[in-house]
């Protein structure tokens, strides 16, 4: 019975044809022309806002690059990843949506898929490193004081190497990049899991090392931080002003990191669910009109980060200026007395 079941599974895997092999033209849009135009305008707005926002973060950070803290260096790296997605990737999909088909062929499809996966993986691993930095700074002060700027640059080298490895592995014959079901964008070939056991192993490796494990580290870090902050708030109130100001700055950086991670995961989780379903469920059961929505939502993730960073930063500056005014009033009262 087991042998018959395995034979049946093997035969079903051999019989399965992914969507891009079922049609003569895999790059023709499966959406209406009106839907493609709307998606094209949407991505144009997202691309412009993302480019301006992340470019601004990088420009402002370059003016004080020697004073950047490790967590801020990671934030700049995140802006570089998001800017890369906007500049390198979005023009391909925007042109294709307006053209009502993917116009760059298989080579362009593989390049677009690689770039999206490379910068997306780089963003997630950067946020994982930021969450660990926040966890060590808040929950383990001895390790937190040990982390310096050169450790941040070593971490950046590891992040880029990690992202390059996993984005390039498909070109070694293990996986591939393929057009999306709606035709005007490309992604990792999730449908390989339907074709062979090797494809399943590849997709499971990608899911674990590029999604599940980093997400688990992020969730663990911020849960521990929240618990630590709740227990230490009263203790910090008894310290002097210098320690309190340092604590406020660390919490500001932690809030930025938490919101950025939350925005990234909210944007990417629907796409991840649809991709996993395409890999291990019934891919043809996902309506094509529905499959485009998580893709567009994921592409908007690069726009949120500079907005979050600037809002929290402005709020922090206002609070800090208010605190300075209070200190100035106290000093003037002492002088008058």
């Amino acid at each position: 019975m087991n042998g018959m079941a395995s034979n049946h599974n093997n035969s079903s895997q051999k019989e399965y044809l992914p969507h891009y092999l079922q049609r003569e033209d895999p790059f023709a849009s499966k959406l209406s022309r009106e839907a493609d135009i709307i998606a094209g305008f949407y991505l144009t707005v997202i691309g412009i806002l993302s480019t301006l926002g992340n470019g601004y973060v990088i420009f402002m950070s370059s003016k004080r690059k020697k004073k950047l803290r490790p967590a801020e260096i990671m934030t700049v790296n995140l802006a570089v990843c998001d800017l890369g997605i906007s500049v390198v990737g979005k023009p391909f999909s925007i042109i294709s949506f307006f053209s009502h088909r993917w116009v760059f062929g298989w080579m362009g499809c593989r390049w677009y898929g690689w770039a999206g996966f490379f910068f997306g993986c780089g963003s997630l691993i950067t946020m994982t490193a930021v969450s660990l930095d926040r966890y060590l700074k808040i929950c383990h002060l001895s390790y937190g004081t040990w982390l310096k700027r050169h450790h941040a640059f070593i971490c950046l080298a590891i992040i880029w190497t990690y992202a390059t490895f996993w984005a390039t592995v498909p070109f070694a014959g293990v996986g591939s990049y393929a057009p999306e079901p709606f035709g005007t964008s490309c992604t990792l070939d999730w449908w390989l899991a339907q074709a062979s056991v090797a494809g399943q192993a590849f997709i499971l490796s990608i899911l674990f090392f590029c999604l599940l494990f980093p997400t688990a580290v992020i969730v663990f870090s911020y849960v521990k931080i929240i618990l630590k902050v709740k227990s230490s708030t009263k203790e910090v109130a008894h310290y002097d002003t210098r320690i309190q100001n340092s604590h406020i700055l660390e919490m500001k950086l932690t809030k930025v990191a938490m919101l950025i991670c939350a925005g990234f995961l909210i944007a990417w989780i629907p796409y991840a669910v649809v991709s996993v379903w395409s890999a291990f469920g019934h891919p043809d059961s996902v309506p094509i009109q529905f499959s485009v929505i998580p893709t567009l939502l994921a592409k908007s993730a690069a726009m949120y980060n500079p907005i979050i960073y600037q809002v929290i930063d402005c709020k922090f500056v206002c609070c800090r200026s208010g605190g300075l005014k209070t200190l100035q009033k106290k000093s003037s009262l002492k002088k008058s007395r």
Side-chain angles (χ1 to χ4, degrees), residues 58-135:
I58 295 170
F59 173 73
M60 294 303 294
S61 300
S62 67
K63 296 174 69 175
R64 49 185 294 269
K65 56 186 176 183
K66 293 183 179 180
K67 297 181 180 180
L68 292 176
R69 302 160 69 90
E72 293 174 314
I73 293 173
M74 293 297 174
T75 303
V76 174
N77 190 63
L78 187 61
V80 171
C81 292
D82 292 338
L83 185 64
I85 292 175
S86 302
V87 173
V88 176
K90 281 190 173 62
F92 286 81
S93 54
I94 291 171
I95 293 172
S96 296
F97 273 116
F98 282 126
S99 301
H100 197 50
R101 63 175 286 108
W102 180 262
V103 296
F104 301 100
W106 277 103
M107 287 297 294
C109 181
R110 294 187 180 97
W111 159 251
Y112 177 85
W114 181 90
F117 189 27
F118 172 71
F119 288 114
C121 182
S123 295
L124 184 56
I125 303 304
T126 300
M127 286 185 285
T128 305
V130 170
S131 68
L132 284 174
D133 173 77
R134 297 293 85 209
Y135 169 70

Side-chain angles (χ1 to χ4, degrees), residues 144-160:
T145 55
W146 174 76
L147 290 171
K148 303 299 181 184
R149 281 169 56 93
H150 66 275
H151 295 113
F153 290 114
I154 293 172
C155 189
L156 291 184
I158 295 173
I159 289 169
W160 288 111

